[in-house]
């Protein structure tokens, strides 16, 4: 009985995941239709961007790193369109920084995945830090990792120290992970 109920639990989880995927894809399609009709509407673009962020989070749970990178890049590109139309559309600002950072972080984690490019990784990480006004230690950590991946070790160390200091001041749950990255950067020779 235990094996049967466990097997059914897996089936129900898979069905729920498939149902959620279908719902997100339907939402993206619906929002794309609205954006097609109203391409200069920042609220419509933002709604599409948020749907793409939610899709990227779901894709990220899977094993396909390339799909996750592409999903985050699409979210970033969609929300950056909001800033192009209306720079003051505040609701999109945090989402834009998040999408830029998460796309960059996925590329740092999987540099050989399709869509990953070191220069693009660094540019996206810089954009996230710029948008957040250097107030999010996770974004600074991503930037430090992007520099490290490109061989800019001194820059990586400086930015990581800034991220670690900020994480400790904010009592961030990411402080330990950032400290580990800083230790790795410090132990590596130039």
């Amino acid at each position: 009985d235990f094996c049967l109920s466990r097997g059914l639990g897996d089936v129900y989880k898979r069905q729920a995941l498939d149902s959620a995927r279908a719902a997100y894809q339907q939402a993206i399609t619906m929002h794309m239709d609205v954006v097609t009709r109203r391409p200069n509407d920042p609220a419509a673009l933002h709604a599409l961007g948020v749907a793409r962020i939610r899709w990227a989070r779901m894709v990220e749970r899977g094993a396909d790193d390339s799909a996750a990178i592409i999903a985050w890049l699409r979210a970033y590109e969609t929300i950056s369109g909001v800033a192009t139309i209306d720079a003051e559309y505040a609701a999109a600002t945090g989402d834009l920084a998040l999408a830029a950072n998460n796309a960059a972080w996925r590329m740092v984690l999987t540099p050989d995945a399709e869509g990953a490019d070191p220069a693009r990784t660094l540019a996206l990480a810089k954009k996230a830090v710029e948008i957040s006004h250097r107030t999010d230690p996770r974004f600074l950590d991503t930037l430090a990792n992007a520099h490290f991946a490109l061989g800019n070790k001194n820059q990586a160390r400086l930015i990581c120290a800034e991220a670690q200091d900020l994480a400790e001041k904010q009592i961030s749950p990411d402080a330990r992970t950032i400290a580990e990255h800083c230790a790795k950067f410090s132990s590596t020779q130039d």
Side-chain angles (χ1 to χ4, degrees), residues 130-173:
E130 173 193 323
I131 293 167
S132 68
H133 303 287
R134 301 184 91 83
T135 59
D136 193 316
R138 299 167 305 164
F139 298 173
L140 288 163
D141 182 51
T142 299
L143 180 58
N145 276 278
H147 274 292
F148 190 79
L150 285 169
N152 305 332
K153 294 176 182 156
N154 285 334
Q155 192 69 14
R157 289 182 193 111
L158 291 171
I159 295 169
C160 196
E162 180 184 352
Q164 185 176 12
D165 184 50
L166 187 59
E168 289 170 0
K169 285 180 182 171
Q170 293 180 356
I171 312 171
S172 170

Side-chain angles (χ1 to χ4, degrees), residues 8-26 54-64:
L8 286 175
D10 291 342
V11 168
Y12 290 133
K13 284 180 190 174
R14 203 171 309 114
Q15 286 175 340
L17 188 60
D18 290 344
S19 177
R21 282 188 180 128
Y24 283 129
Q25 289 174 335
Q26 184 179 8
R54 290 179 177 152
W55 172 250
R57 285 184 174 141
M58 175 164 281
V59 170
E60 207 167 41
R61 293 181 187 135
D64 188 352

Side-chain angles (χ1 to χ4, degrees), residues 5 28 31 47 78 96 117 119 157 181:
S5 66
I28 288 171
H31 290 301
T78 301
L96 182 60
D117 169 35
R157 289 182 193 111
H181 293 161

Side-chain angles (χ1 to χ4, degrees), residues 46 79 82-83 86-99 131-133 139:
H46 184 238
I79 295 178
V82 176
D86 185 353
E88 301 301 315
Y89 195 81
T93 305
D95 293 329
L96 182 60
L98 175 75
I131 293 167
S132 68
H133 303 287
F139 298 173

